[in-house]
Structure formats: C-alpha cells, structure tokens
Amino acid sequence: MSRLNIEAELNGPQLEAVSALEGPVLIIAGAGSGKTRVIAYRIAYMLEKGIPQSAILALTFTNKAAREMESRVRELSGKKLQSLTVSTFHSFGVRILREEIEKLGYRKNFSIYDETDRNQLIRDSLRECRLSVDGVDLYKLGQIFSNVKIGRLRWGEGADSGFERVYGEYQNGLKVYNALDFDDLLVLPIQLFEEHPEIRGKYRTRYRYIMVDEFQDTSLIQYRLMRLLAEADSPGGNCNICVVGDDDQSIYSWRGANYENILMFERDFPGVREIKLEQNYRSTTTILEAANGVISNNTNRKGKTLWSGNTGGKPIELFHPQTESDEADFIARRIRELCLRERRNYDDFGVLIRTNSMTRAIEEAFLAENLPYQVSGGTSFFQRKEIKDILSYLRVIGNADDDVNLLRIINTPRRGIGKTMISVITDLARKNHSSLWDAMGRLRYAPDTLFPDAAKGRAEIDHFMNLIEFYRNEILGSQNRKGWHLSQQVRSLTDNIDYWSYLMSEYSKNEKIAHWKFLNIESLIRSIETWESNPDNLNPTLYPYLNRISLITSGDGPDEGPDEGARGKVNLMTIHAAKGLEFPVVFIAGAEDGIIPHARSLEEGDGNIEEERRLFYVAITRARDKLFITSCLRRRRAQFQKQAGDEPVADSRLSPFLAEIPGHLVEYHEPEKALDAAEAEDFFARIKSQFA
DNA sequence: GACGTTACAGTTTTT
DNA sequence: CTGTAACGTC
C-alpha cells in the first residue's frame, strides 16, 4: 500500500528533514543536495501520515518550480492532488486577494499590472503632475515606488520626495483602475491580515503545515507574509514551518531578497531545528571542487562543506571563440557532436547565459544547426506585442476599468478613436474621478450639446463599447448561448477585430513578421485550448486564465501540447532562470568581465561582486557530468549599428571568476587565431599560465 | 481629427 | 525590435 519508503531512499539528514514535521525547521541545503526531493518527500510523507492536503502550503520561487514540485508529490504519493497548495508567494497572494480583496475597497476582478503596464501608469502619473517624462528613468522610479511600497524606503529618506506626489497619483490610478502591481500582491495580503484578524485566523487555521523553498531569496515582505501565517498565536501553539535555503545561492538581492532572513527566522521562531544537507548527489567532484573554489572567495557566507560521492569526473573545458556568433556555433556544434558520440538527448544540455540579450545569437546557431531547443526567458512569449494586444482585450473584458489595458486596445486596430477623442475621455474621467470606461459610458448617449468635443467620435465609442460588451456577455455572461470555450471566443474575437489585416498593414514591409506574429496568436489560442481541456482544470474560464497568465513571465512559455520529441530539447536560459534545475552537460556562455560579473551590477555597489560570484557558482553547480565554459575574445557591445561597415565590437576580457577555479580542473583550449593587439597577447599569456 | 511617416532612444537578473 | 514624440497629409 505505502509507496513511500523513506528510510531506504534518503540519507540520514534528508530523512531527518523529511520526518521533522512539527515545529519550526530550518534546512540548509547545499547545491545538488536533494533539496527539491526532500520537500517533495516531506509533503508525500505528510499525506501518508493523514495530514489533509488542504492543510499544507508550499511556497516556491517560480511557477515552474511549483509545477515541478506538484508533479513530484503526485508521483511519490500516488494521490490525486485536489486541495494541496503549491504556489509562488505572488500566486498565493492573488489567491487570497481574489477571495478577500473587497474588504480593502477593490473589486474581485482586479487586473494585475506587469512591468510594461506599470511603466505606462508611471508615465501617466508623471504627466499628471506636470513633470517631464524625459530624463526620468521609469525603471528606476518604479524601483523607488516599489521600495516605498514594501517599506524599505521612505520619502525623504532614500526616496527623493520630489516624486512623492507622483507616487500618490500612481497609487490613485491603481485604485481607480482596480489594478494591482506585483508588490500589491504581497503587501495587500499583509495589510488584510493585519487589519482583519479574523481573516488571518481563517488562513492560519487552514494552513497548519507551511514550507518555503529558496528561502535565501525571500524578500522581507514575503517573510512578513509567511510569518503572519506561521507564527504561533499562543505560546506553545502550532507553528509547523519549514524553510529551505542556501545562502550561497542567494541571487535576488536586487529584488529585495535578504538572506539574513535566516537569522530572523531563528530569532522569530524559537526552538528551530536546524538540519544541514551537505552531500551533493548531482555533480562530479571536479565540478564541485571548481564551485567550491569560486564560492570560497566570498567573505559573506555561513560556510559549509559540500562533498560528493561521485569521485573524479571529466575536466572543465574552457574555450575562446572569436565572437559571440562563433561562440554560438561552437556550442551548437558541440551539442550536436555529443548527441552523436555519447548518445545524449537534447534535453541533457543546459546553455546558461547572464543576460537575455545573449539568447539571439545562440538561437540563430541552433536554428542553423537544426537543434530542437527551448528558451526560458528573453522576450517572454507573453510580452510580445501581438500577445499583449489580445490579452489586453481579455483584461478589459474582465475589468473594464483597467485604463492601461483599455488604452492599449481602444484604437488597436485603428477604429477612429484618436488622440483628441482620448483626451476628451481622459478629461471627463479625471473630472469624475472615474475610469475611462465609465467616462465613455457617459459620452455614449449624451446629447451633442453636453459634450460638443465628443460629438464626432460618439459612433466609434459606441461601436467599441458594443464590441467589449458583446464579448463580455459571450465570455462571462450566463447566456453563453453557443456554449463556446474560451479559446473559441478568443478566436472569434481576433477574427472580429480583424487583427490579421491589422498585422498585415502594420508590418507591410515585412510580411514574414506579420505572419510570424499571427502564428504566435495561433499558438496562444492553442495554449488556451490545452489549458482548458486539462481534466484537472475544474474551472476553465476567463478569470482563472487571467490569473494564471498574469504571473507567468519568463521561464514559462505558453502551455504546450503533451507530446515532445523523445529526445527533448536543448535548454537555453539565463542563470537566474536555471536556479533549481540541473543538466548532465552545461555550457556557460560569455564568461567575460562585464558580463559575469555584469558591469551594471557592479556599478550599483561593492557588495554586488559577491552576488555575481554566487551567480557564477549557481551556474557551475547546475552541471552533473560535464561543464563547458566559453569566453569570447570580442563581443558586440551595442545591438545597434549606425553603419553597416562599422563594427561595434569591443575586446572582451576574461571573467575574473575563472581564475578562481583551481587550474588543475580545467582543460584550456587556446584560441584558434591570436589577437592583433599586443596587450591581448599579454593577456593570454597570463591565462595560459593559469590553466596550462 | 485621424493616421502615416520619420527620427530617436533603450536592453541585468524576475514575480 | 518596440514604443514614443513630432510633423505633415488626407
């Protein structure tokens, strides 16, 4: 009956970590020490002990990790998972807010704003305050807003008070549009719990067993949210909370992650049981020694000794391609070769990069080499213009007050509502402190004399509103006469607005792009089909769908059909996106100074070099058997060339972290062509002495 | 008024 | 490659 045999399948510390269900537990789990496995076993063990699914909450860092966790638990326990909660902090916040947000004065159909939507709103807020948008870095300002919202900065203390009014405008906009930004998804649940103890009590009674993965990357507000749920409400009360982390893998401090949470945890939850997992099951000793050599240069760490039973291992190979396209070709050819010679599957390979912009060259090489691959990260599928357009329609159908999305589509495709009409609507909305939709409603049937400026565009507005209302009825209304699925409705909508013609005219110079974008929409629709035809999906309707996709960013493409090729696909992703994953063979591309460590990161502060080093450490430890590192001699700096003849390429220097890898582990491959510059020769003489 | 053309700027990492 | 602002045309 019992499928679980934890004694036989786990080592001592792992067993301890799995079976210590009661009380606060801190698991320090080194890279490759079976962390994910331990959490999955732990949940399965709970289920076997008769703890109800609904009492368990597992918080992960990405949606991908959540999905993986769930499927492992399903496999281990052999049970159908119906009320088990495995999600990211943000999705968990959404889940709470969809239930309770009315107590905070929002409506349940709130929109969730991504970076782009948010920048748009910040831009409007600046304009509203009569400040120029030029010269303001919207990204930076967004960071300030975020820091104020989560309480890391106050106006006048770290946050320039000149923007306080803009922030007020921004917050007001969110409220009127019934929209939340990513921070709200954490801050509002906290507010809710603090202002409404009965709601907090409800969730606390429900979730009696809480686990947090990647604890080192938990931000302060995430920690507060967790604490509100987990803290014992009376002395000696229940607080079955288990956090798992590794300070060496903390790579999100720029997003507010604070590995000192580990110290806070020990303080806030007295009697913590600490368990260390130090045996690495993943990598060869070569790879592990290299990783240890690198990370030991960090001063700011708890310190632990990772060891592996897999002795030996192939050397790490370091190559110097000339340019990034040579690098890409090299990686593609090497993968092809290993597939043939060692009978590797495509999905045995992980190609790791520091920035999303590095994907393009590599993708091109993969296409040329005909390698099946998948990208996590980059311009995420859901960020593409055509996808955002269609989704904006769905968002407006779901929440008509969402001005940012409404503005995106009100005249896309062109329907004769131009700047002037929009400013009439905007003015009216401002006067009434209402959303644009509300203002349009007032204009729609009003006599011309009341709003003479709007007289001309009234027909167009009416037409647009009819369109939205028609689909709102179709999709949300009880009289869904045709009984169509969401995917069918979306298809009908795209036809109805004639998006295809819009693409053709918009990209008339390049029909291929238009066609490609149309295919993207097709694949969006297909992914909705896949999603709604999943038998586990009990409620395949608009709102659950919007919830789901709002929190998907990179790392997740559209839902794909079940059948993959038997040999899988090569994985191409940023190092950040690779956290928690492993591959038999790993390529680290662009191990150059300025890339790892990234120049922009070092600009911001001295402490960042350690974070960049941890990033490199994470990259190395993704590899099981074999690691390749490439470092180009020259790299294109800016994507933009003014002249075709100009070469916007600069010499690259080796990443300083490479010198931290013990030389005897590395097989060094000289570049095929020597560089012209004498100093470059010097440079390679130095590297050669390091690794030869 | 709407819309087409042009010039111009901006890419670290992610929920 | 995308989004914005400024200008000229219909």
Side-chain angles (χ1 to χ4, degrees):
Chain A
M1 167 77 208
S2 165
R3 308 163 124 257
L4 219 54
N5 185 356
I6 58 175
E7 280 85 2
E9 288 163 34
L10 301 169
N11 70 24
Q14 287 179 335
L15 186 62
E16 193 187 346
V18 166
S19 51
L21 299 186
E22 309 292 321
V25 178
L26 166 65
I27 302 172
I28 304 284
S33 61
K35 175 178 59 100
T36 316
R37 194 156 166 260
V38 161
I39 303 179
Y41 266 88
R42 210 179 135 89
I43 298 173
Y45 183 64
M46 286 178 184
L47 297 179
E48 200 176 87
K49 285 257 153 188
I51 295 170
Q53 289 182 16
S54 59
I56 302 171
L57 170 65
L59 295 166
T60 59
F61 197 68
T62 61
N63 297 298
K64 199 173 177 175
R67 274 202 306 273
E68 222 170 273
M69 184 69 67
E70 214 175 316
S71 83
R72 286 176 86 152
V73 172
R74 193 178 299 120
E75 246 169 65
L76 279 175
S77 69
K79 291 197 171 87
K80 237 186 151 185
L81 305 180
Q82 269 155 348
S83 52
L84 181 74
T85 312
V86 184
S87 77
T88 63
F89 271 100
H90 289 84
S91 330
F92 181 63
V94 173
R95 182 188 290 241
I96 294 173
L97 293 173
R98 290 281 178 215
E99 286 296 315
E100 322 278 357
I101 200 167
E102 285 172 349
K103 304 213 169 46
L104 296 175
Y106 292 80
R107 278 155 285 132
K108 282 184 178 178
N109 62 340
F110 58 83
S111 297
I112 299 169
Y113 279 2
D114 69 10
E115 200 86 351
T116 317
D117 300 330
R118 176 165 169 258
N119 280 350
Q120 200 57 249
L121 181 52
I122 295 177
R123 189 185 292 269
D124 292 345
S125 307
L126 279 165
R127 249 196 299 260
E128 197 70 18
C129 296
R130 292 171 203 285
L131 293 169
S132 163
V133 183
D134 304 337
V136 178
D137 185 336
L138 291 178
Y139 175 78
K140 280 222 173 97
L141 192 54
Q143 294 259 292
I144 294 174
F145 284 9
S146 169
N147 279 319
V148 168
K149 186 169 274 189
I150 66 177
R152 280 214 303 184
L153 295 178
R154 284 158 190 278
W155 296 112
E157 300 168 37
D160 182 351
S161 6
F163 291 114
E164 186 168 356
R165 265 176 51 238
V166 185
Y167 180 70
E169 206 45 61
Y170 170 78
Q171 282 292 90
N172 191 37
L174 286 175
K175 193 78 190 247
V176 174
Y177 307 160
N178 196 30
L180 310 184
D181 63 18
F182 280 134
D183 296 315
D184 286 327
L185 301 182
L186 303 170
V187 169
L188 293 183
I190 289 174
Q191 194 189 333
L192 192 70
F193 285 164
E194 285 175 343
E195 289 174 5
H196 302 268
E198 76 287 358
I199 296 178
R200 180 184 173 206
K202 183 169 120 191
Y203 285 92
R204 200 153 49 166
T205 314
R206 169 169 176 183
Y207 294 113
R208 287 180 291 119
Y209 293 85
I210 302 179
M211 265 158 289
V212 181
D213 194 9
E214 306 286 5
F215 188 61
Q216 76 285 349
D217 283 324
T218 303
S219 68
L220 205 61
I221 38 165
Q222 290 174 328
Y223 180 80
R224 280 179 58 200
L225 180 57
M226 180 205 89
R227 200 176 58 190
L228 281 167
L229 282 170
E231 224 169 26
D233 39 5
S234 57
N238 253 1
C239 53
N240 304 315
I241 167 92
C242 170
V243 302
V244 188
D246 174 9
D247 53 331
D248 287 335
Q249 293 187 67
S250 158
I251 53 176
Y252 281 91
S253 69
W254 51 274
R255 213 180 83 185
N258 187 348
Y259 66 89
E260 286 173 14
N261 282 342
I262 294 180
L263 303 178
M264 271 188 275
F265 184 74
E266 286 166 338
R267 188 197 64 205
D268 292 341
F269 294 90
V272 170
R273 183 146 162 205
E274 187 172 324
I275 300 166
K276 277 192 181 180
L277 306 179
E278 293 178 303
Q279 181 175 0
N280 175 298
Y281 288 94
R282 181 185 294 155
S283 310
T284 64
T285 41
T286 303
I287 288 164
L288 214 53
E289 268 180 57
N292 282 334
V294 170
I295 200 69
S296 64
N297 288 280
N298 269 4
T299 52
N300 215 346
R301 62 191 290 254
K302 268 198 138 184
K304 64 176 141 348
T305 12
L306 268 186
W307 57 280
S308 165
N310 318 348
T311 49
K314 298 170 204 141
I316 294 166
E317 292 188 57
L318 174 58
F319 287 88
H320 288 291
Q322 301 282 323
T323 65
E324 73 268 23
S325 58
D326 294 333
E327 175 180 59
D329 290 342
F330 166 79
I331 293 171
R333 281 198 311 266
R334 191 47 70 103
I335 290 174
R336 170 68 70 208
E337 187 190 318
L338 290 171
C339 282
L340 294 172
R341 194 183 297 163
E342 299 183 7
R343 298 200 166 179
R344 298 269 186 195
N345 290 331
Y346 297 120
D347 57 8
D348 286 349
F349 297 93
V351 179
L352 307 187
I353 49 189
R354 174 65 233 267
T355 66
N356 286 311
S357 57
M358 295 167 72
T359 48
R360 226 190 45 196
I362 297 175
E363 267 190 272
E364 275 168 19
F366 284 177
L367 285 171
E369 187 67 37
N370 226 344
L371 284 174
Y373 69 92
Q374 58 184 350
V375 195
S376 329
T379 315
S380 138
F381 181 80
F382 291 99
Q383 312 252 51
R384 297 184 206 277
K385 181 180 169 2
E386 61 280 16
I387 302 300
K388 283 216 77 164
D389 283 349
I390 299 299
L391 292 180
S392 283
Y393 275 95
L394 294 184
R395 292 211 159 90
V396 171
I397 288 166
N399 170 21
D401 293 323
D402 179 343
D403 281 13
V404 170
N405 279 300
L406 185 104
L407 284 173
R408 188 181 178 95
I409 54 158
I410 192 168
N411 205 28
T412 305
R414 310 255 127 82
R415 52 171 69 87
I417 305 179
K419 275 196 197 109
T420 316
M421 257 333 277
I422 289 177
S423 81
V424 169
I425 299 167
T426 314
D427 290 345
L428 184 61
R430 183 167 316 139
K431 228 171 41 207
N432 294 314
H433 304 283
S434 77
S435 65
L436 296 180
W437 180 263
D438 188 87
M440 285 162 71
R442 284 167 207 259
L443 294 177
R444 195 179 190 177
Y445 303 120
D448 282 355
T449 46
L450 198 55
F451 301 109
D453 296 342
K456 273 197 165 168
R458 176 159 306 116
E460 283 80 6
I461 287 182
D462 186 50
H463 188 238
F464 174 72
M465 292 182 86
N466 281 333
L467 174 82
I468 298 296
E469 279 165 351
F470 174 77
Y471 279 99
R472 181 175 308 143
N473 253 326
E474 285 288 308
I475 294 178
L476 295 174
S478 46
Q479 66 275 49
N480 183 345
R481 286 172 303 255
K482 305 189 196 83
W484 278 8
H485 293 303
L486 184 59
S487 56
Q488 294 168 298
Q489 301 284 9
V490 175
R491 195 183 296 280
S492 146
L493 174 69
T494 359
D495 289 346
N496 197 322
I497 60 178
D498 204 6
Y499 201 77
W500 171 240
S501 305
Y502 166 74
L503 285 176
M504 284 301 277
S505 68
E506 205 69 356
Y507 299 92
S508 49
K509 284 176 217 129
N510 195 339
E511 244 176 65
K512 273 191 186 150
I513 293 186
H515 192 234
W516 187 65
K517 284 178 181 293
F518 197 74
L519 288 179
N520 278 334
I521 291 175
E522 272 303 309
S523 95
L524 173 74
I525 292 174
R526 268 204 319 276
S527 85
I528 300 175
E529 268 165 23
T530 309
W531 175 79
E532 68 196 1
S533 60
N534 182 341
D536 291 341
N537 185 352
L538 301 176
N539 187 15
T541 54
L542 180 66
Y543 287 123
Y545 182 72
L546 290 179
N547 271 347
R548 177 188 159 71
I549 55 161
S550 300
L551 295 170
I552 285 179
T553 48
S554 66
D556 312 275
D559 293 298
E560 287 186 17
D563 50 310
E564 297 275 318
R567 307 186 66 190
K569 293 173 176 173
V570 176
N571 299 283
L572 173 60
M573 63 184 80
T574 62
I575 302 172
H576 283 89
K579 194 174 68 150
L581 304 179
E582 62 174 45
F583 305 98
V585 183
V586 165
F587 289 81
I588 302 176
E592 291 146 49
D593 200 7
I595 296 185
I596 324 176
H598 200 278
R600 288 289 284 265
S601 156
L602 298 186
E603 276 168 22
E604 284 169 13
D606 309 339
N608 286 354
I609 185 83
E610 299 222 336
E611 174 139 325
E612 294 288 311
R613 188 179 279 112
R614 288 193 292 270
L615 200 52
F616 194 57
Y617 172 79
V618 167
I620 295 174
T621 52
R622 297 312 94 197
R624 283 216 305 249
D625 309 333
K626 179 77 187 176
L627 177 62
F628 292 93
I629 302 177
T630 53
S631 172
C632 295
L633 302 182
R634 319 185 71 206
R635 181 174 294 272
R636 184 177 298 261
R637 290 294 171 212
Q639 301 267 33
F640 262 77
Q641 312 111 288
K642 296 229 161 180
Q643 294 275 315
D646 275 357
E647 270 197 301
V649 189
D651 288 348
S652 277
R653 294 161 29 115
L654 206 63
S655 164
F657 299 145
L658 289 177
E660 297 171 358
I661 299 176
H664 70 275
L665 303 173
V666 177
E667 187 178 322
Y668 180 67
H669 298 266
E670 269 185 73
E672 284 169 18
K673 271 190 289 183
L675 283 181
D676 312 339
E679 67 238 50
E681 291 289 356
D682 259 18
F683 179 60
F684 283 108
R686 275 215 335 270
I687 307 176
K688 267 159 76 176
S689 65
Q690 169 84 31
F691 292 117

